[in-house]
Amino acid sequence: ALRPSPSRNLSPGFAQLLFPRGSMSGWAQWLFGRGTAAAAAPAAAGAEALEAPGPLSSAPVEPMDLMCPISACLFRDPVMLVSGHTFERASIVEFWRRRPLANPLGTGERLRSAQMIVNYGYRSQVDAWLQRHPDYTPEGWSSRGGVHRCTQEELDRQTAEIESAARDLDDKAAAEAAAEEEAAPDEEEEEAAAPA
């Protein structure tokens, strides 16, 4: 008979922190000992019967590869950047309003362009997933309807705005650096003014 391993008998509270709304995958159910041979093993082994937990939830598991790295929500309006990474349009635009052209993955490098391209591949994958789960509203979405998906022309306008903000920020930084350089005394002037 199978016996639950103490090393994988983690608390249900911890499981709920990791997997909200009962969204445990099969491996997570195994890890936390839910509803499989692990729940029936104590009774089969002659141990005191434990009450087996009921099913977790019928909520589908949202696919991680269709989630924005910034918002951690299923894509609604995915766009691809020049780096090749895909983000939710609203999330990357908001991020860049605070930090123009910064790499949202935290690599420290600045992206060379704010060019965004509609990621039609991810759009169709999300649409197909939503069709398979017609009664489910993904985490972070207020509803399934009323989603405005941008056109490439709209993305081009937003790209121009973000790149303009980045240039303004660069100009401001250059002006501040020039002012600091001008305010600092020249080394040759300091040496000439110093008593011999």
Side-chain angles (χ1 to χ4, degrees):
L2 295 174
R3 293 187 184 186
S5 166
S7 64
R8 69 176 193 90
N9 190 11
L10 301 174
S11 77
F14 182 70
Q16 290 304 314
L17 286 173
L18 292 175
F19 305 98
R21 291 178 59 187
S23 62
M24 278 195 208
S25 63
W27 71 267
Q29 289 178 10
W30 177 86
L31 177 68
F32 292 101
R34 303 267 196 234
T36 59
E48 186 175 318
L50 297 174
E51 183 175 286
L56 292 174
S57 172
S58 61
V61 177
E62 296 175 6
M64 294 293 292
D65 57 332
L66 297 179
M67 296 176 90
C68 174
I70 296 173
S71 68
C73 293
L74 199 65
F75 289 121
R76 290 182 89 125
D77 194 9
V79 296
M80 185 169 36
L81 308 183
V82 295
S83 66
H85 296 98
T86 298
F87 297 91
E88 177 63 29
R89 179 184 54 87
S91 297
I92 190 63
V93 168
E94 180 60 31
F95 178 83
W96 277 342
R97 284 192 175 127
R98 289 180 275 124
R99 298 181 59 203
L101 296 183
N103 188 328
L105 297 179
T107 61
E109 72 201 46
R110 186 172 176 184
L111 299 177
R112 60 182 156 76
S113 170
Q115 180 66 47
M116 296 177 279
I117 301 167
V118 175
N119 192 325
Y120 291 105
Y122 275 12
R123 267 191 191 180
S124 63
Q125 289 179 46
V126 168
D127 290 345
W129 190 87
L130 290 170
Q131 286 177 356
R132 289 190 306 272
H133 306 285
D135 298 326
Y136 179 75
T137 301
E139 293 278 339
W141 291 26
S142 56
S143 72
R144 287 175 58 118
V147 177
H148 170 74
R149 289 182 160 172
C150 63
T151 63
Q152 190 59 50
E153 291 78 26
E154 289 173 293
L155 286 178
D156 292 342
R157 281 193 300 275
Q158 286 184 325
T159 295
E161 291 170 12
I162 293 163
E163 289 181 346
S164 175
R167 280 190 301 276
D168 291 347
L169 193 62
D170 289 345
D171 292 347
K172 181 179 175 183
E176 288 174 357
E180 285 179 19
E181 191 174 299
E182 194 173 290
D186 189 15
E187 286 182 27
E188 292 177 12
E189 291 176 13
E190 284 182 17
E191 289 177 12

